[in-house]
């Protein structure tokens, strides 16, 4: 133990930090995902002229603005997934340390 904090406590703190980072990135991605249809509708509403809704949707989906939005949505999802992997890895690292300490305690009882 260093500074009164055990290795397992450090691992718990690290897992907490990773979990918070994941939650923040998940929130950003989720907001973008939920806003996709309203954003598309706004782009469609901005299109002028006498055209069907299907034509306006096709034009809106092909617009640079919507394509940029989708790109940002995908980037946010990738960041969120990478943060989730880091968090899950930190939890597994904690569990491995806890298991190792448990094994060591069991060995000490045998002697």
């Amino acid at each position: 133990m260093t500074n009164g904090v055990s290795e397992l406590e450090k691992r718990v703190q690290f897992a907490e930090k990773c979990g918070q980072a994941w939650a923040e990135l998940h929130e950003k991605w989720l907001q973008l995902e939920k806003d996709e249809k309203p954003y598309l509708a706004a782009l469609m509403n901005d299109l002028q002229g006498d055209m069907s809704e299907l034509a306006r949707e096709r034009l809106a989906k092909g617009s640079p603005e919507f394509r940029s939005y989708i790109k940002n949505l995908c980037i946010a999802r990738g960041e969120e997934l990478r943060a989730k992997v880091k968090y899950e890895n930190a939890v597994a690292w904690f569990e491995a340390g806890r298991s190792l300490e448990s094994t060591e305690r069991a060995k000490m009882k045998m002697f």
Side-chain angles (χ1 to χ4, degrees), residues 71-110:
K71 179 181 178 181
N72 290 334
L73 174 66
C74 293
I75 289 169
R77 179 65 168 160
E79 289 173 347
E80 185 260 342
L81 288 172
R82 284 187 290 280
K84 181 180 180 185
V85 167
K86 188 173 182 177
Y87 167 69
E88 289 176 348
N89 195 1
V91 170
W93 186 49
F94 163 74
E95 291 296 337
R98 190 170 71 156
S99 179
L100 180 62
E101 281 191 5
S102 178
T103 301
E104 293 299 319
R105 282 192 304 274
K107 283 181 184 178
M108 290 191 316
K109 287 181 183 178
M110 294 175 73

Side-chain angles (χ1 to χ4, degrees), residues 44-53 55-56 59:
M44 289 171 62
N45 289 339
D46 288 343
L47 293 172
Q48 302 295 321
D50 185 27
M51 47 182 127
S52 69
E53 186 160 333
R56 287 187 302 130
L59 288 172

Side-chain angles (χ1 to χ4, degrees), residues 12-79:
V12 167
Q13 291 168 353
F14 181 68
E16 168 69 17
K17 180 181 172 187
C18 292
Q20 291 297 329
W22 171 39
E24 288 174 16
L25 289 170
H26 181 76
E27 180 181 355
K28 288 178 185 177
W29 165 74
L30 190 59
Q31 181 68 51
L32 284 169
E33 183 190 47
K34 297 293 182 186
D35 280 344
E36 181 179 350
K37 288 181 182 180
Y39 184 68
L40 177 60
L43 289 174
M44 289 171 62
N45 289 339
D46 288 343
L47 293 172
Q48 302 295 321
D50 185 27
M51 47 182 127
S52 69
E53 186 160 333
L54 187 59
R56 287 187 302 130
E57 181 179 353
R58 187 184 76 247
L59 288 172
K61 282 184 174 179
S63 72
E65 296 89 355
F66 191 72
R67 293 182 68 200
S68 176
Y69 182 87
I70 294 300
K71 179 181 178 181
N72 290 334
L73 174 66
C74 293
I75 289 169
R77 179 65 168 160
E79 289 173 347

Side-chain angles (χ1 to χ4, degrees), residues 5-19:
V5 180
S6 72
E7 185 62 33
L8 279 181
E9 289 171 318
K10 288 179 187 175
R11 290 181 185 198
V12 167
Q13 291 168 353
F14 181 68
E16 168 69 17
K17 180 181 172 187
C18 292

